Amino acid sequence: MDFNDTPEEAAFREECRSWLDANRLVGWEDRIGRDADGIAVSREWQKKKYDAGWACLHWPKEYGGRGASPIERVIWSQEEGAIGGLSSLFIIGQGMCAPTVMAHGSEEAKTTRVPRIASGEDIWCQLFSEPAGGSDLAGLRTRAVKDGDEWVINGQKIWTSGAQHSDYGMIITRTDPSVPKHKGLTMFYLRMDTPGVEVKPIKQINGNSEFNEVYFTDVRIPDSQRLGDVGNGWNVSLTTLMNERLAVGGGFPTNFEDMFEFAKNVEDHNGPAINNGSVREKLADWYIASAGLRNTGYRLTSALSRGETPGPEASISKLVLGENRQNMASFMLDLQDMYGVLNDPNLSAAEAEYQATFFRAAAHRIEGGTDEILRNIIGERVLGLPPDQRVDKNVPFTDIPTGDK
Amino acid sequence: MNFEFSEDQKMIKETARSYLADKCTSADVRRILDGDESFHPELWAGVAEMGWLGTAIPEEYDGLGLGYLELCVIAEELGRAVAPIPFSSTVYLFAEAILAAGTEEQKKKYLPKVAAGELIGCLAMSEGAGAVTPKTINASVSGGTISGTKVPVVDGDVADHAIVVAKTGSGNDEGSMSLFVVDLKGEGVTVESVKTVDPTRGHATITLNNAPAEALGDTGEGWAIVDRIFDRAAVLFSFEQMGGSQAALDMAKDYAMDRYAFGRPIASFQAIKHKLADMYVATELARSNCYYGAWALSTDAPELPVAAATARVSASESYAHTSKENIQTHGGMGFTWEFDCHLHYRRSKVLGLTIGSLPRWKDRLIDRLEARNVA
């Protein structure tokens, strides 16, 4: 056991470093955000990386990558460090939509659309969840009806991150409600400025609006924007969701160290809070979760370094992180006693970061697979337990009970 | 980065698993649980023959001189099999103490015997309920002999030698504590078996009445030595606990797949599926933390105190959780003597208390994190 690079990995790391040293943007830290300037600096960094072959480096060369191995991708992200956060604007397009287009799109879609996702010229969003289909994605109701060489889309999507900034969207629709739910779906992509597409921001419990509702009213798109066969949308969506889970990172920050420092410095009734047994007990539990995720990350990176596919342990991270972050942030407010109710960056400890996490972590446990769905996935795909018995599997979609009065 | 065991180490683990699957079956464990013996002598002899006792003992003392990563993978398998032998007391505590604090002469005297399976060792520390601190130690030494009562001593009723923590100074502080090797077959020693929550391992009350005592390490250094040994032993104990945790999860999973209720396997119910998923998460976190502890132990890294406490807390919690929920998954059958669920439930408690309980290790972990942040 060791934490050293192989000679090849060390050489690659050096190559990353020297390019980064020569090309790092100046002043980017002051321009982070989703306003026009934040989007501009994200695009600037993405284009710079793309021109040198560092954007989506694991993709084939023809799509703008350099065919990098998974471990090279991890090394790049370690070396790129914080500035890599600018690329989060493109993460859905690059991490989920582009791999789906590569696997299921027409030749034309692949060559024209995918490189522009790598370069940051086009931002994509993923139009999957609906009011009637979140965890139960295949319960979606947005309809696409064939009309000559075109499809006409009507319906509503929800929880679409970044729809307001997106140039394109990947949308899963129901094209045949007379067959069982998983069989009547078809995937498309479309420009977000197509007539009939309307984006409405959702006001979240933290007051922000990362997510949107997207309405479709008689939206017409050509059949050439179909991804995969008619009726095969469910399988196409699995490509997308599988890529979501393969987006492996090197580490899993929980900000434990900051919170530990905070507990050392804040006082309870008898002195520093960290001397209190109940505080120590909680901190110990959060440390083992935090260290456990970090050490699980080492195991994944080692597997990639050996050229292997990471094992099922990869699936635990979001489940552990979400719940721990929520509980930790809440407890950081408890430690401040009466003062903890403040939610003002000018007054609150850590510029109200714990208050922000107190709210945002609630979404962490829901987005990209709820805690409950993740437990099902661990149970069924990792442990091999039998699936739940379902009443909706082999009946026509139109006959499935909905609870509508 | 190579945060994984080597092919050779994995092979040692595979060999250990298949050996124990054959020689340490449920019937073997139950022979000790139900009978009068305090350990399984044939298994002990077999384990000695396999060379496991000397895995980390240097070759100059007749060990295999392999290392701690090899010992860790063996520990995981012993934990999985709930092995009824005094392995941890002899290897993780007795031999480690001799290696850490013994003179050359003591190493030559004791370690070859440990490696050959001719000497069972143990650590005699606790004297009563509550956290074991210097204040609770009344055993004392004068004129080369030791007097006092130690209870419980894990594997004490089958051990040949004990390392005894005793007072050498007048005070009850750490600096007044020293270590001694005592021949349990010698004069002035009374050993009495005691009932514990896990009869698959022997436990004893050891009464010393002017028993000859051989100093181990410098006078007044006893507490510091035990502290260091506990860090090293914590990693090895954690591997046993993690192996046990995996076994309890596997057992619960197999049962839930086979058991039908309401016309379907109970594993298809989310109430059971989510329970098993949580057992898996706890076990994987413990496994990752154990690996980090193994790395720190095998390289004598400065991170060892934090890494050992992390592995210990993580594996103690995981095994406590899975052994408890394994019973729950089995329903009423889990509460019967006939089913093996209680073997894990018992062993998880004993492993969790030997070398100090969970609250104590959590406290220790925070101490170490504070010290690290200050440094």
Side-chain angles (χ1 to χ4, degrees), chain A residues 76-121:
Chain A
W76 165 261
S77 93
Q78 288 168 349
E79 293 303 319
E80 187 184 13
I83 195 174
L86 291 179
S87 297
S88 66
L89 181 62
F90 314 107
I91 200 163
I92 290 171
Q94 295 175 348
M96 301 168 76
C97 300
T100 311
V101 175
M102 285 186 226
H104 301 283
S106 66
E107 231 12 79
E108 201 225 329
K110 287 191 242 185
T111 52
T112 60
R113 299 274 60 89
V114 175
R116 289 177 63 88
I117 296 177
S119 66
E121 285 160 284

Side-chain angles (χ1 to χ4, degrees), chain B residues 1-75:
Chain B
M1 179 177 298
N2 179 18
F3 190 61
E4 183 52 89
F5 291 96
S6 70
E7 289 310 312
D8 284 352
Q9 288 152 0
K10 284 182 190 162
M11 203 184 305
I12 291 173
K13 182 175 146 109
E14 281 311 307
T15 306
R17 181 177 301 193
S18 58
Y19 182 81
L20 291 167
D22 183 36
K23 307 286 186 194
C24 183
T25 62
S26 165
D28 288 297
V29 180
R30 285 171 173 277
R31 188 180 114 190
I32 311 309
L33 176 74
D34 294 325
D36 294 329
E37 299 162 294
S38 291
F39 80 121
H40 194 304
E42 296 93 330
L43 180 60
W44 184 249
V47 159
E49 203 174 315
M50 298 291 285
W52 296 355
L53 295 164
T55 306
I57 293 177
E59 283 172 290
E60 52 187 307
Y61 307 116
D62 297 351
L64 296 182
L66 286 171
Y68 289 93
L69 294 178
E70 287 78 5
L71 189 53
C72 284
V73 297
I74 291 171

Side-chain angles (χ1 to χ4, degrees), chain B residues 45-220:
Chain B
V47 159
E49 203 174 315
M50 298 291 285
W52 296 355
L53 295 164
T55 306
I57 293 177
E59 283 172 290
E60 52 187 307
Y61 307 116
D62 297 351
L64 296 182
L66 286 171
Y68 289 93
L69 294 178
E70 287 78 5
L71 189 53
C72 284
V73 297
I74 291 171
E76 181 182 342
E77 293 308 319
L78 290 167
R80 168 188 289 274
V82 203
I85 49 175
F87 195 90
S88 53
S89 298
T90 305
V91 178
Y92 316 157
L93 296 172
F94 184 86
E96 282 299 313
I98 301 289
L99 272 168
T103 60
E104 191 55 33
E105 194 190 339
Q106 285 173 316
K107 289 178 189 172
K108 286 200 170 113
K109 179 176 167 190
Y110 295 114
L111 296 176
K113 285 187 177 168
V114 168
E118 291 161 7
L119 187 158
I120 294 175
C122 64
L123 175 70
M125 198 166 176
S126 166
E127 298 185 12
V132 181
T133 65
K135 268 184 248 165
T136 67
I137 306 292
N138 291 310
S140 63
V141 171
S142 66
T145 66
I146 191 164
S147 295
T149 301
K150 295 288 183 182
V151 60
V153 181
V154 184
D155 301 311
D157 58 345
V158 296
D160 304 294
H161 286 76
I163 287 167
V164 181
V165 182
K167 261 176 19 174
T168 41
S170 52
N172 267 95
D173 54 344
E174 294 188 2
S176 303
M177 300 293 140
S178 304
L179 300 186
F180 297 88
V181 185
V182 173
D183 179 357
L184 296 177
K185 312 292 184 200
E187 51 187 297
V189 179
T190 314
V191 176
E192 220 179 328
S193 292
V194 286
K195 278 182 77 170
T196 70
V197 294
D198 184 9
T200 66
R201 292 286 291 275
H203 289 71
T205 299
I206 295 182
T207 309
L208 304 168
N209 190 2
N210 291 318
E214 174 189 324
L216 178 68
D218 292 339
T219 302

